[in-house]
Amino acid sequence: QTCYICTQALHWKTKEGLVRGCSCRGTAGFAHVACLAEQAKILCDEAEENNLDIKAKNERFRRWQECSLCEQTYHGGVKCALGWACWKTYLKYSDNEVLQQLAMSRLGCGLSDADRHADAASIREAELSMLRRLDDTDFVNI
């Protein structure tokens, strides 16, 4: 079996194996977490660079949580790993608290799904604090 994104069994850089945390069946849907994260990041970056509307941006940001093949939400360890990857990607965007909040939300959901509820609660508290600082006009619900 190979990654549907890079078509390799082992990731060339991380040497990680394949995962499938969605509803794909048969040989479909296997990927490396690093490839899923890179794909989501590229799609989101393209949306920003091309000044796409908010609907298109939201659709692309969903790649951090949904399979592009079966369009189902990831679960378990894959959801948690993508949450961490999303948070690490957007943590450095200090000028965009909305992106940071969305990434924090992905991380909180991933931790909850992986039964790491105490960690998820801490993230949710930080997210709530950030939401209180954000202007309602800046917040976009995805």
Side-chain angles (χ1 to χ4, degrees):
Q1 297 187 353
T2 61
C3 174
Y4 77 90
I5 298 169
C6 74
T7 69
Q8 300 298 311
L10 283 177
H11 190 270
W12 66 276
K13 187 175 180 183
T14 65
K15 304 300 183 209
E16 69 184 273
L18 298 169
V19 297
R20 180 173 65 185
C22 61
S23 296
C24 285
R25 300 286 183 246
T27 59
F30 287 97
H32 305 109
V33 171
C35 290
L36 293 170
E38 184 64 19
Q39 180 185 62
K41 182 183 180 311
I42 288 169
L43 287 171
C44 291
D45 288 349
E46 286 175 352
E48 280 296 317
E49 290 168 10
N50 295 319
N51 294 316
L52 298 182
D53 65 16
I54 195 66
K55 183 178 178 184
K57 287 179 182 179
N58 287 347
E59 180 66 32
R60 288 169 179 237
F61 199 84
R62 275 197 282 278
R63 284 302 133 236
W64 286 106
Q65 67 189 25
E66 282 181 7
C67 174
S68 61
L69 301 177
C70 69
E71 297 182 350
Q72 297 300 304
T73 302
Y74 291 112
H75 54 85
V78 175
K79 187 174 184 177
C80 188
L82 282 174
W84 278 112
C86 184
W87 173 243
K88 286 195 283 187
T89 297
Y90 296 110
L91 175 63
K92 63 184 175 230
Y93 285 57
S94 59
D95 61 330
N96 193 333
E97 283 189 317
V98 173
L99 271 178
Q100 286 184 335
Q101 182 277 319
L102 292 171
M104 196 178 291
S105 177
R106 295 286 68 80
L107 176 55
C109 289
L111 289 167
S112 289
D113 207 60
D115 293 329
R116 294 179 55 188
H117 301 295
D119 294 331
S122 294
I123 295 298
R124 294 297 191 193
E125 288 172 6
E127 180 185 8
L128 182 58
S129 175
M130 181 178 279
L131 284 171
R132 286 182 178 137
R133 286 194 315 269
L134 287 175
D135 210 16
D136 286 343
T137 59
D138 291 337
F139 178 68
V140 179
N141 187 17
I142 292 185

